[in-house]
Amino acid sequence: QVQLVESGGGLVQPGGSLRLSCAASGSILSTNTMGWYRQAPGKQRELVATMTTSGIMNVPDSVKDRFTISRDNAKNTVDLQMNSLKAEDTAVYYCNYRSYGREYWGEGTLVTVSS
């Protein structure tokens, strides 16, 4: 089992910044992918950014110029720096871990972008 604990969500004004953090614990394998997905009200969950232990990133065009993913393999943490936030970035953000067919999710942290 792998446990994921997210932190850093909250309310921010349009154009502002927010940093999300996720810490993994439990049966962590040395080769894995960690990252972030989000789900807005009435929409499907979508990819925000992921990074493998070797540093390979997957970041969609919709956020790549504004969001930066980073991770600390020694600490089993992954962070998401979000800049120039827009109202459409409002969603519950979920931390994700996957490795060799096993996948785990955090409980999610709400990010609200509103004036």
Side-chain angles (χ1 to χ4, degrees):
Q1 290 287 329
V2 172
Q3 294 78 43
L4 301 171
V5 178
E6 303 120 331
S7 61
L11 173 65
V12 63
Q13 293 186 343
S17 298
L18 210 57
R19 188 176 184 89
L20 305 182
S21 296
C22 174
S25 62
S27 302
I28 309 296
L29 300 181
S30 59
T31 300
N32 62 68
T33 300
M34 289 185 67
W36 296 90
Y37 291 73
R38 69 185 180 186
Q39 187 166 17
K43 295 187 176 181
Q44 291 187 334
R45 192 171 297 189
E46 64 177 3
L47 169 70
V48 178
T50 61
M51 180 182 283
T52 68
T53 43
S54 59
I56 298 172
M57 292 182 287
N58 185 11
V59 185
D61 291 343
S62 58
V63 301
K64 69 176 183 178
D65 293 332
R66 301 184 295 120
F67 293 5
T68 302
I69 187 170
S70 60
R71 64 179 294 170
D72 185 328
N73 292 335
K75 296 181 179 180
N76 297 316
T77 60
V78 62
D79 291 349
L80 183 70
Q81 177 65 41
M82 304 185 292
N83 299 326
S84 303
L85 283 161
K86 307 174 181 179
E88 50 263 43
D89 294 318
T90 294
V92 177
Y93 285 70
Y94 295 91
C95 182
N96 176 269
Y97 167 100
R98 63 179 187 272
S99 180
Y100 295 106
R102 298 188 304 157
E103 184 172 44
Y104 298 91
W105 294 92
E107 293 187 350
T109 185
L110 177 62
V111 172
T112 302
V113 184
S114 175
S115 55

